[in-house]
Amino acid sequence: MSTYELHKNALVKVAMGKKQEIKYPCKANSSPKYPLEIYSENMFTLKTMAKALPKPIFLSFLKQWSRWQNLDKMTVDSIVHTVHVWVMDHRVMHYMHWFQLQTGTMAEKHNMFLSLLSSYTPGSEEVTQVDQLSGLQLLQSEPDASSFPSGRMHMTFQVHRYMIWDMLSSMFVQCGPNGTSILYIPLVFISYNGDTLDEKTGLLQSNEVLLHAAVELVNLLELDMHMAHMYMTPGTEQEFFLVECMMYALQPDLKIMGCMLVGQLPPWHQQLEDHYFGHIPSCMMYMISELELECLCLGIPIKTHHNEVVPAQFKVTLIFKEASVAMDHNLLTMDMLHKVAHHHNLHVLYHEKPFKGINGSGKHCNWAVATNCGKNLLDLTHVLLLCATILSSSNEHCLGMQEAPPAIISAFLGNQLNEVLNAINEDCPLKNFSMPQFQTIKVSGTVLDVKDAGLPHIARDLTDCNHTLPIAFTGNKFEFCAIGSKQSPSFPVTVLNCMVTTAITEIVTNLHAQMGSKPTPSDDDTLAVICRYIRLMHPVCFEGDNYSDAWVAEAVCCGLPNICTVPEAFTYLLKDKHLAMLTTDTGIFSHSELMLHYHILNEHYAKDTILSQQILPAAIKYCKLLAESTTMPKAIGIEAAPKVQVLNELAPLVTTLEAEHAKLTATVQKLIDHGSNDSNKHAQAACNLVVPAIAAMCNTADMLKTTVADKYWLLPKYAKLLLMIRSDWSAGLITCGE
């Protein structure tokens, strides 16, 4: 069967396919369950543990959970027994160690509960089958980790690693194959010498130092509060594309790279601005309904879902949780999206720029510290570090364009906060925010009167939100808008925590120096320190359009660097100021652990290249067909000018593409043969040589695509990938021969 027939059959199956329906969970009496009854029913929560454990044992666990003491053997064994009884009711055959690798993916190690115990007597052996999970197996495991990326920290023969149970994240059960289930045990991953090898360990450590510093500052400023603990509570917003599985299977670039290297926009995409918050396609509604039910069972409420800017692009938003749990929930939701989409013959694309020429996807991480004082602090002197944590080969397609991540890191604080800070710094009176500011809308304090008796007055936020900047203050939290959609947010949030910790520690030190021997700082002492930091962060605060040329010019005057390439951003991890902040000042990373991150980031960037092997054969075959079709009419005296013109346009493009393909192959081979021991130099070479060569080849291929007939073009076009997700367009695409 030809590729053209495969495309056509795929379109017909998509258009005629039935939606996958699932049954809503019901009670034993067949009545539907309430959402509150579904919530976290597949999680081994503290509430589940409290019901099953003796009270002294549970209280002992709570002390460890609250970081007050270490677990003793009796407590561990009791928890293991309770877990084992609980999972047997869920048809669990395997338990799985589940942790975050620094490659941005989740690692899984599956083990069967069933074990064999042998007893020997003279001349015989008796084997007994038992279901068991020991306390040691729960608390830690020792995998063979020789094939994990080491960033040159360890030799290949040094394989000993440790996986340790993260008690802040609850264990949970997910469905496995053939009616079975799997117990997931969230873990951290460290080396034989105690070095961090995952992304969660650093996050947990950064949470501890941040919250300790924040409590110290709050207690210094607010003596009557007596804060003992605070919580860092991020919440993520996940963007993604959905494409039909059949179209995805026919596109090797999507399967290998996650993005289309070759392709042109369809006549209709995002120009009319009608997709954002528009009517959600029925296939998406069926899929998201199943996703919500699955996530609800795992204690992950999906608060919001809606269409994004581009056809086939969507967003889901999760509720704020404690940092470790929030990161697990984001990664678990991404994994669940893949699984559920497959049930509906769809495939999820998390690549930041899967289709050129239209908006890409990102991830917003709302960062906040949960305390009744409502203070948020952010040290903006280390913002260049954030570029190193958020950039990758896929995110580079957006770098410096009209979407995140921006090439210049800055922060948005909003009108009111800026007015307050400027008034403090300049010792001038505050602007009265209660005065009317619009003629058609009456503004009274934070209330908007929309001039219609049938509509209520609404509360207005004290500041707008600016998503053109990577960091935006939104009233009671900061919104970090530059994380890649396929990226784990753990490492960026860890670095953000370190930045805030450093700022708080410096503020506390300066307050003590300013107040001298006084027991508490006076208002004048506090204002003096605040003014010092207002002047320090002024260059990176911007209230306008971060994508505009005006901001680029202003940033130059402020001395802010314009980061144009991903390898350049990685170098900021090792700058003296940032290196000291991440290692000696906060103690979150050792020098070797930071070098591990640095090497992995550079190596991944250098290796993310691809060559498409299907374009030249299609173009050559079409050239041959055109040449034959022009020879025959001439033999009988018929004019073949149109075909000759197409052939004249096509032949030079084929020649150019062959030359560019040869050049790219030679460049890649040269990098492989003469690879530098310096991973950043290797990444820089890939950026300067390979990326431009791929771009030139793809541009030529795009020109070929407009000339070669659809019947001979082997790759699906943008229209089939972007518009097929809308069920009302499927039939039209078939009749149009797309």
Side-chain angles (χ1 to χ4, degrees):
M1 184 181 293
S2 69
T3 304
Y4 177 73
E5 290 172 328
L6 284 174
H7 285 205
K8 189 173 181 179
N9 290 344
L11 289 171
V12 172
K13 287 181 180 179
V14 169
M16 304 304 177
K18 295 182 179 179
K19 302 296 181 289
Q20 177 75 21
E21 294 190 25
I22 61 169
K23 292 183 178 179
Y24 188 85
C26 293
K27 302 176 185 178
N29 60 3
S30 298
S31 62
K33 290 184 177 179
Y34 294 109
L36 287 177
E37 295 176 298
I38 302 172
Y39 180 74
S40 72
E41 68 177 9
N42 288 342
M43 292 179 64
F44 188 72
T45 61
L46 287 176
K47 186 181 294 185
T48 306
M49 195 181 297
K51 290 180 180 178
L53 287 174
K55 188 173 181 180
I57 298 292
F58 180 66
L59 292 177
S60 175
F61 172 77
L62 283 183
K63 290 178 181 179
Q64 163 61 21
W65 190 76
S66 302
R67 304 293 197 269
W68 292 344
Q69 70 177 35
N70 290 326
L71 278 180
D72 57 78
K73 187 177 184 303
M74 181 183 296
T75 303
V76 174
D77 290 341
S78 299
I79 293 172
V80 167
H81 175 73
T82 304
V83 170
H84 190 255
V85 172
W86 179 73
V87 297
M88 289 301 103
D89 294 335
H90 287 78
R91 305 187 306 278
V92 173
M93 289 185 62
H94 295 82
Y95 62 92
M96 183 179 76
H97 292 135
W98 188 68
F99 55 98
Q100 303 177 25
L101 291 176
Q102 291 185 7
T103 56
T105 58
M106 297 302 299
E108 302 178 357
K109 181 172 178 277
H110 296 249
N111 299 278
M112 182 174 264
F113 276 102
L114 182 65
S115 185
L116 301 178
L117 297 179
S118 298
S119 59
Y120 296 91
T121 57
S124 66
E125 175 188 2
E126 183 177 350
V127 178
T128 306
Q129 303 87 10
V130 294
D131 277 328
Q132 68 174 18
L133 173 67
S134 69
L136 182 61
Q137 289 170 326
L138 173 63
L139 284 180
Q140 72 177 64
S141 179
E142 302 174 12
D144 178 349
S146 58
S147 297
F148 285 124
S150 65
R152 304 170 190 172
M153 183 189 293
H154 306 284
M155 301 300 291
T156 304
F157 63 83
Q158 296 173 313
V159 301
H160 221 47
R161 309 287 188 270
Y162 295 107
M163 299 184 295
I164 306 170
W165 177 32
D166 173 22
M167 287 176 288
L168 292 179
S169 292
S170 299
M171 290 177 275
F172 57 92
V173 169
Q174 279 209 81
C175 294
N178 303 317
T180 63
S181 297
I182 302 169
L183 173 67
Y184 284 61
I185 305 176
L187 304 162
V188 299
F189 188 47
I190 62 174
S191 74
Y192 179 75
N193 297 319
D195 295 317
T196 299
L197 299 177
D198 67 341
E199 295 210 333
K200 184 187 274 191
T201 305
L203 175 68
L204 293 173
Q205 293 170 349
S206 69
N207 288 345
E208 287 294 315
V209 296
L210 166 63
L211 301 176
H212 176 77
V215 168
E216 184 179 3
L217 176 61
V218 171
N219 287 336
L220 180 62
L221 295 175
E222 304 285 348
L223 291 178
D224 58 333
M225 292 187 66
H226 303 294
M227 292 292 298
H229 195 68
M230 301 169 74
Y231 298 91
M232 208 279 285
T233 55
T236 55
E237 303 173 18
Q238 180 69 52
E239 297 174 358
F240 57 94
F241 278 84
L242 283 176
V243 296
E244 293 288 346
C245 278
M246 293 180 181
M247 294 294 106
Y248 173 81
L250 294 169
Q251 178 52 264
D253 290 355
L254 278 182
K255 289 192 286 186
I256 299 173
M257 290 289 289
C259 66
M260 294 275 285
L261 291 180
V262 178
Q264 291 182 325
L265 291 174
W268 176 86
H269 45 92
Q270 67 182 54
Q271 315 97 311
L272 299 180
E273 302 174 343
D274 60 342
H275 192 258
Y276 190 64
F277 276 29
H279 175 70
I280 300 177
S282 58
C283 59
M284 170 62 178
M285 287 299 293
Y286 277 89
M287 192 208 78
I288 204 69
S289 175
E290 181 178 353
L291 175 71
E292 286 178 327
L293 289 174
E294 292 286 348
C295 286
L296 205 58
C297 292
L298 299 175
I300 311 174
I302 295 179
K303 187 66 175 177
T304 306
H305 63 271
H306 61 79
N307 289 356
E308 264 297 329
V309 176
V310 182
Q313 186 187 30
F314 308 93
K315 177 193 279 188
V316 294
T317 302
L318 308 184
I319 291 178
F320 285 51
K321 290 289 182 73
E322 189 278 329
S324 173
V325 177
M327 300 303 106
D328 280 352
H329 282 185
N330 175 248
L331 296 171
L332 188 56
T333 302
M334 293 171 68
D335 181 60
M336 191 66 69
L337 267 167
H338 268 303
K339 293 178 181 177
V340 172
H342 183 72
H343 297 165
H344 299 264
N345 297 317
L346 299 170
H347 188 86
V348 179
L349 301 178
Y350 289 121
H351 193 283
E352 285 78 11
K353 198 73 171 177
F355 306 102
K356 60 185 177 183
I358 54 178
N359 275 34
S361 297
K363 192 194 310 270
H364 294 188
C365 186
N366 298 286
W367 186 96
V369 175
T371 171
N372 56 353
C373 67
K375 289 179 168 62
N376 283 281
L377 299 169
L378 187 62
D379 181 3
L380 298 173
T381 63
H382 293 281
V383 290
L384 293 175
L385 258 183
L386 295 178
C387 268
T389 69
I390 60 180
L391 289 179
S392 63
S393 59
S394 54
N395 228 0
E396 186 177 33
H397 296 282
C398 309
L399 182 62
M401 303 299 177
Q402 299 296 306
E403 51 189 318
I408 303 171
I409 297 294
S410 53
F412 171 83
L413 300 179
N415 292 336
Q416 190 198 38
L417 189 54
N418 262 311
E419 175 71 20
V420 171
L421 295 179
N422 290 335
I424 293 173
N425 188 41
E426 299 168 8
D427 194 22
C428 60
L430 278 171
K431 174 183 176 181
N432 187 352
F433 281 86
S434 297
M435 294 296 291
Q437 299 176 29
F438 306 99
Q439 292 182 355
T440 56
I441 299 179
K442 179 182 178 183
V443 180
S444 178
T446 59
V447 176
L448 293 178
D449 180 2
V450 292
K451 296 292 186 179
D452 189 313
L455 296 175
H457 292 187
I458 61 172
R460 186 186 68 158
D461 291 329
L462 294 175
T463 182
D464 201 348
C465 185
N466 187 340
H467 280 175
T468 69
L469 279 78
I471 303 169
F473 182 67
T474 58
N476 63 347
K477 66 182 185 299
F478 283 96
E479 189 167 0
F480 192 12
C481 308
I483 301 177
S485 54
K486 73 175 184 180
Q487 182 181 9
S488 166
S490 294
F491 185 49
V493 171
T494 299
V495 172
L496 193 59
N497 287 350
C498 291
M499 292 164 56
V500 179
T501 301
T502 303
I504 294 175
T505 303
E506 290 178 359
I507 290 171
V508 170
T509 302
N510 289 330
L511 276 173
H512 279 295
Q514 185 71 33
M515 69 187 196
S517 59
K518 289 179 289 188
T520 60
S522 64
D523 289 345
D524 290 338
D525 294 334
T526 304
L527 286 173
V529 173
I530 289 175
C531 288
R532 194 178 311 164
Y533 279 90
I534 292 173
R535 291 189 290 272
L536 181 66
M537 71 180 189
H538 179 73
V540 294
C541 293
F542 183 64
E543 301 302 301
D545 183 359
N546 198 68
Y547 301 150
S548 66
D549 294 336
W551 168 233
V552 175
E554 184 176 336
V556 172
C557 298
C558 294
L560 297 180
N562 189 344
I563 298 176
C564 299
T565 67
V566 173
E568 178 191 354
F570 294 158
T571 62
Y572 283 94
L573 272 175
L574 303 185
K575 299 290 185 183
D576 291 342
K577 178 174 68 172
H578 308 317
L579 186 65
M581 187 267 289
L582 293 172
T583 55
T584 57
D585 294 350
T586 59
I588 301 304
F589 298 102
S590 66
H591 187 271
S592 58
E593 289 171 343
L594 203 59
M595 290 301 296
L596 173 61
H597 275 283
Y598 176 74
H599 285 304
I600 290 176
L601 289 170
N602 280 290
E603 287 172 3
H604 269 248
Y605 179 86
K607 294 173 182 177
D608 271 353
T609 58
I610 183 177
L611 307 178
S612 181
Q613 303 293 331
Q614 294 185 297
I615 297 169
L616 274 173
I620 292 171
K621 183 176 181 180
Y622 191 53
C623 280
K624 180 181 178 182
L625 176 73
L626 286 174
E628 292 174 350
S629 64
T630 56
T631 303
M632 293 174 60
K634 287 181 179 179
I636 58 176
I638 299 177
E639 181 64 36
K643 296 180 180 179
V644 172
Q645 182 179 350
V646 174
L647 186 59
N648 289 337
E649 294 175 358
L650 195 60
L653 291 175
V654 172
T655 303
T656 302
L657 187 61
E658 286 179 315
E660 290 171 343
H661 183 271
K663 179 181 177 182
L664 177 59
T665 304
T667 302
V668 172
Q669 191 60 46
K670 183 179 178 181
L671 284 178
I672 294 172
D673 295 339
H674 304 91
S676 171
N677 290 327
D678 187 329
S679 58
N680 189 255
K681 287 183 178 179
H682 201 187
Q684 288 281 8
C687 177
N688 297 332
L689 300 175
V690 177
V691 172
I694 291 177
M697 194 176 77
C698 291
N699 288 336
T700 305
D702 284 343
M703 289 188 282
L704 276 173
K705 193 170 189 176
T706 61
T707 309
V708 177
D710 282 358
K711 185 175 181 179
Y712 300 95
W713 193 259
L714 303 179
L715 304 175
K717 295 189 175 181
Y718 271 28
K720 294 175 183 175
L721 291 159
L722 288 173
L723 305 183
M724 284 299 296
I725 200 70
R726 293 182 55 147
S727 56
D728 52 329
W729 282 81
S730 302
L733 288 173
I734 296 172
T735 56
C736 292
E738 252 292 27

